[in-house]
Amino acid sequence: MAKIKKEYSLEETNQEIRDLIKAADTYPRRPDEILNKRHWREFPGGFRVCFTRDEAEAEKEMYHLSISNSTRKVKDLEAIAILDLFGVKGEVYETPPYMNPNVRHFLWECNKSLVH
């Protein structure tokens, strides 16, 4: 993974988000697949984001955003701000933590509008 920049301008941050969305849409994740580094970004402040488009096991494909911080659990307002950067519209579901309780996972339907 590339070295983490100390600061990002808003435009650089938005470009990173657009790149994550494009990677998710171009390379949907299968349930048995190990995630490629194209789905991950590290941001200043210790934030790490993973964004995928999960292939449908049922009837709907879902976007999956996981957010973590290297030193603590991500706060609600931080999670909301990051979701807002993705331009999420509609209902978002937070799942219980998987293995690491400091990683927050959010899911929403793929047909919802995103920043492109």
Side-chain angles (χ1 to χ4, degrees):
M1 190 169 294
K3 187 175 180 181
I4 303 167
K5 290 177 64 172
K6 291 189 179 188
E7 292 183 20
Y8 275 83
S9 69
L10 182 57
E11 183 50 41
E12 289 172 311
T13 300
N14 286 335
Q15 184 58 52
E16 292 290 336
I17 299 299
R18 285 190 296 270
D19 291 347
L20 283 168
I21 293 168
K22 183 178 178 182
D25 287 338
T26 304
Y27 304 98
R29 180 182 170 273
R30 292 186 316 271
D32 60 343
E33 181 180 41
I34 295 173
L35 290 175
N36 185 287
K37 65 182 180 180
R38 69 180 151 248
H39 296 290
W40 295 92
R41 292 295 186 283
E42 293 191 28
F43 292 97
F47 290 99
R48 190 168 192 204
V49 171
C50 180
F51 186 69
T52 61
R53 180 179 183 137
D54 294 349
E55 284 189 349
E57 290 183 21
E59 67 281 346
K60 298 178 190 174
E61 286 190 347
M62 303 289 282
Y63 284 119
H64 182 172
L65 175 66
S66 66
I67 309 169
S68 62
N69 187 286
S70 58
T71 60
R72 59 179 170 73
K73 185 173 181 176
V74 175
K75 297 175 184 174
D76 289 343
L77 286 177
E78 294 166 334
I80 290 167
I82 293 170
L83 284 162
D84 191 52
L85 286 171
F86 280 83
V88 178
K89 306 281 189 236
E91 276 191 83
V92 176
Y93 307 93
E94 183 171 9
T95 66
Y98 299 134
M99 297 179 85
N100 183 342
N102 290 333
V103 179
R104 298 185 69 177
H105 298 271
F106 299 92
L107 299 163
W108 64 93
E109 290 181 42
C110 289
N111 63 356
K112 301 300 180 190
S113 166
L114 291 178
V115 174
H116 282 95

